[in-house]
Amino acid sequence: MNSFKQKLQHIMDWEYFPILVFTFLILIFHLFVRPSGDDIIYGTVFYKEPVLTFIQDAYFNWSSRIIIMPVAAFFAGNSFWLFAIANILVYFLLATMISKLFVYENKLQANWVIVFLLVCVPFVTMMTTAGWVVTNIHYLWPLTFSLVALYPIKKIYFNEVFRGYEYLLYLVATVFGMNMEIVAAILVTLYSVFVVYFATKKKFSLYLLIVLLVLLGNIVFVFICPGNGVREMQEIIANYPEYATFGIIQKLAVSATSFVFSIDQNFLLLITTGLAWFFSWQTYKKWPFRLIGISPFIFCIMVNTVRVIVLSPKFNHLFSLVTGNTIHEWITFSGITNGYLGFFHYLGLVLMTFFVIALMLMTVLLFKDSNKLGIAILAVGASVMSRVVMGFSPTVYVSGARTFLFQYIAMVIFGLIMYQEFNPLMRAENQQRLFWVLCFMGGCGYLESFFKLI
């Protein structure tokens, strides 16, 4: 009996045990979800035409995702449990790669924090928007493989040795990830930054240079792919005709309002901005700095409040009882997401601009004396830009919640970096309290997703 307890304790003390727990929690999701929406459409593809014909049709008529789309069609057309096994492994890989890229010490505790933050990501509502199978493969898989693609940068930075087979694995992950446009932009940006950085440090890497050239070639491929232009025109005609007349400012306004009205109810942004508020108030005693620290948290509270006001039938009913009018006489979701831009769109742009400025200032203030300042800025910058680029797509509202995945994972990374940087500076009892607060919030976030399944 004692031997069994020792073995169990040994497993629980393993630094990757939290990620096994996360994987099990994701497995539970797969017991309840089933193919739907685009899963059904993709599932019939290879009964109608050969793979190469499907890829050719996609290239000329729909999308440059000529790698992702046939993979999605394959899994959608076979047993759901074949996909479930592969998908669960991808979720495991997601958490593992965040750990390998951004955790340097006290790995067991840090990996628990990764799990607490990840379970607050509303995977269920995001990944069922176009079908569980298709949405995961089009969004989660490229994002996860992009983290694998970034791992060589860390190994080169720390002068770690590459095994021969690793080059092939990293290259395959890069090719799959870059087939998704947002991921392609992220990878080419980061590889460009680090190729230049390593060049200044006289640390030349032929592998990084080759991958950068592949990434740049892929960007050209995305722009010249005729299917992307065809799809954009079809989406504009079908979903957002006015979009064809928009300039840069109008598209930025659309991006800003889509953040407010398309985001899911979730705990993640509240936790990460709440941590920033807490740590900034621990670090600074002057009120101007404290106001900068709390501003992003207040903004997130406002966003959640606006969503309740506009989207909640119960609130609308209460408003009608009190005022005799409906809130929808003033503002409606359909009014925001259709037609020409109005006051609320530009108000959203102004507020989002202040939010982004406060977020970046908060990040600089928190990490100005830390060697993690660059990573923190990259994480927050990736979070912001992942939403900005959505304004340049006519499907910004139609795509809905799933497009927030990139922002959420960037904020998971930012929250992890903050925790590792500032938690050790607190007293031991406060560290323990914060750990259990994150555990409680993670539990609430997971239950929120779980209850949407049953």
Side-chain angles (χ1 to χ4, degrees):
M1 188 66 177
N2 288 334
S3 176
F4 174 76
K5 287 182 178 179
Q6 289 175 352
K7 290 180 180 178
L8 183 62
Q9 188 61 48
H10 180 70
I11 293 172
M12 294 177 66
D13 290 338
W14 183 40
E15 61 190 42
Y16 289 106
F17 175 73
I19 296 176
L20 292 180
V21 174
F22 172 69
T23 307
F24 175 75
L25 294 174
I26 295 298
L27 184 151
I28 293 174
F29 285 165
H30 286 78
L31 299 177
F32 293 89
V33 292
R34 286 295 178 269
S36 62
D38 286 351
D39 298 345
I40 310 302
I41 298 171
Y42 271 68
T44 64
V45 164
F46 293 147
Y47 294 107
K48 299 176 181 178
E49 57 185 344
V51 177
L52 291 179
T53 303
F54 174 65
I55 292 173
Q56 185 180 28
D57 288 344
Y59 174 76
F60 285 105
N61 300 302
W62 190 248
S63 176
S64 57
R65 299 179 194 174
I66 58 173
I67 298 174
I68 294 173
M69 290 180 68
V71 171
F74 169 79
F75 280 104
N78 285 280
S79 167
F80 175 77
W81 287 106
L82 175 64
F83 163 75
I85 292 169
N87 201 43
I88 290 167
L89 290 175
V90 171
Y91 276 95
F92 173 82
L93 183 62
L94 171 68
T96 301
M97 291 313 304
I98 293 174
S99 175
K100 284 187 171 294
L101 283 167
F102 303 104
V103 175
Y104 300 95
E105 56 188 19
N106 199 3
K107 291 186 177 181
L108 179 63
Q109 185 183 75
N111 285 345
W112 275 119
V113 172
I114 291 173
V115 172
F116 298 154
L117 294 172
L118 280 178
V119 293
C120 288
V121 176
F123 289 113
V124 169
T125 47
M126 283 194 303
M127 298 303 161
T128 53
T129 50
W132 183 255
V133 177
V134 169
T135 311
N136 270 285
I137 293 176
H138 273 264
Y139 286 84
L140 180 75
W141 289 26
L143 172 60
T144 301
F145 286 119
S146 73
L147 296 177
V148 178
L150 293 175
Y151 192 56
I153 295 176
K154 180 182 178 182
K155 297 197 73 168
I156 293 170
Y157 184 87
F158 287 105
N159 299 310
E160 297 179 17
V161 177
F162 283 79
R163 297 178 179 88
Y165 67 87
E166 288 184 81
Y167 290 106
L168 179 61
L169 290 178
Y170 298 142
L171 185 59
V172 169
T174 302
V175 170
F176 187 91
M178 73 183 188
N179 200 225
M180 206 283 181
E181 300 85 355
I182 296 178
V183 174
I186 293 171
L187 286 177
V188 77
T189 301
L190 291 177
Y191 263 82
S192 298
V193 168
F194 280 100
V195 164
V196 172
Y197 172 79
F198 287 135
T200 62
K201 299 295 182 180
K202 295 181 171 56
K203 196 182 259 190
F204 175 76
S205 169
L206 179 61
Y207 173 80
L208 289 190
L209 183 60
I210 291 172
V211 172
L212 177 58
L213 292 175
V214 171
L215 289 168
L216 289 171
N218 177 69
I219 293 295
V220 174
F221 171 74
V222 169
F223 278 108
I224 67 173
C225 174
N228 287 334
V230 171
R231 181 182 59 174
E232 182 175 14
M233 289 306 301
Q234 289 179 359
E235 295 289 0
I236 289 174
I237 294 169
N239 298 306
Y240 208 165
E242 296 81 9
Y243 183 86
T245 65
F246 290 172
I248 292 178
I249 298 299
Q250 288 88 347
K251 290 177 180 178
L252 290 175
V254 168
S255 173
T257 50
S258 74
F259 176 86
V260 177
F261 291 99
S262 299
I263 195 170
D264 281 311
Q265 291 288 116
N266 69 88
F267 291 90
L268 180 62
L269 293 183
L270 292 177
I271 291 173
T272 51
T273 55
L275 279 175
W277 166 27
F278 177 73
F279 288 134
S280 63
W281 282 40
Q282 290 272 316
T283 306
Y284 295 100
K285 303 304 178 186
K286 293 183 179 180
W287 280 102
F289 296 152
R290 287 188 162 193
L291 287 175
I292 292 172
I294 197 175
S295 295
F297 179 77
I298 292 174
F299 183 86
C300 289
I301 294 291
M302 290 171 57
V303 168
N304 278 278
T305 303
V306 169
R307 289 187 79 261
V308 170
I309 290 174
V310 177
L311 302 181
S312 170
K314 291 181 180 179
F315 182 89
N316 187 35
H317 178 66
L318 178 63
F319 187 87
S320 299
L321 291 176
V322 174
T323 66
N325 300 307
T326 66
I327 194 73
H328 292 162
E329 293 176 3
W330 175 41
I331 181 172
T332 65
F333 180 72
S334 60
I336 288 292
T337 58
N338 292 300
Y340 291 99
L341 305 189
F343 170 77
F344 292 110
H345 296 88
Y346 293 108
L347 176 62
L349 177 58
V350 171
L351 292 176
M352 280 298 295
T353 301
F354 281 115
F355 172 63
V356 169
I357 293 172
L359 196 61
M360 297 306 294
L361 283 175
M362 176 202 71
T363 304
V364 172
L365 284 174
L366 272 175
F367 290 93
K368 68 182 181 66
D369 298 319
S370 169
N371 59 4
K372 296 185 177 67
L373 173 62
I375 298 176
I377 290 176
L378 283 174
V380 173
S383 171
V384 171
M385 290 308 298
S386 69
R387 291 312 308 164
V388 170
V389 298
M390 286 310 303
F392 293 81
S393 169
T395 63
V396 57
Y397 292 119
V398 176
S399 296
R402 61 182 177 270
T403 61
F404 284 84
L405 177 66
F406 306 97
Q407 180 176 47
Y408 290 148
I409 299 305
M411 294 308 288
V412 166
I413 293 168
F414 180 62
L416 172 67
I417 294 170
M418 273 194 297
Y419 183 87
Q420 291 184 107
E421 182 71 13
F422 297 103
N423 186 63
L425 303 180
M426 298 191 300
R427 295 196 302 268
E429 59 270 23
N430 288 336
Q431 291 183 30
Q432 190 173 30
R433 290 191 188 102
L434 178 60
F435 181 84
W436 288 110
V437 167
L438 291 176
C439 179
F440 173 77
M441 296 298 290
C444 291
Y446 181 80
L447 289 175
E448 182 185 36
S449 291
F450 178 75
F451 287 138
K452 289 176 180 176
L453 287 173
I454 59 177

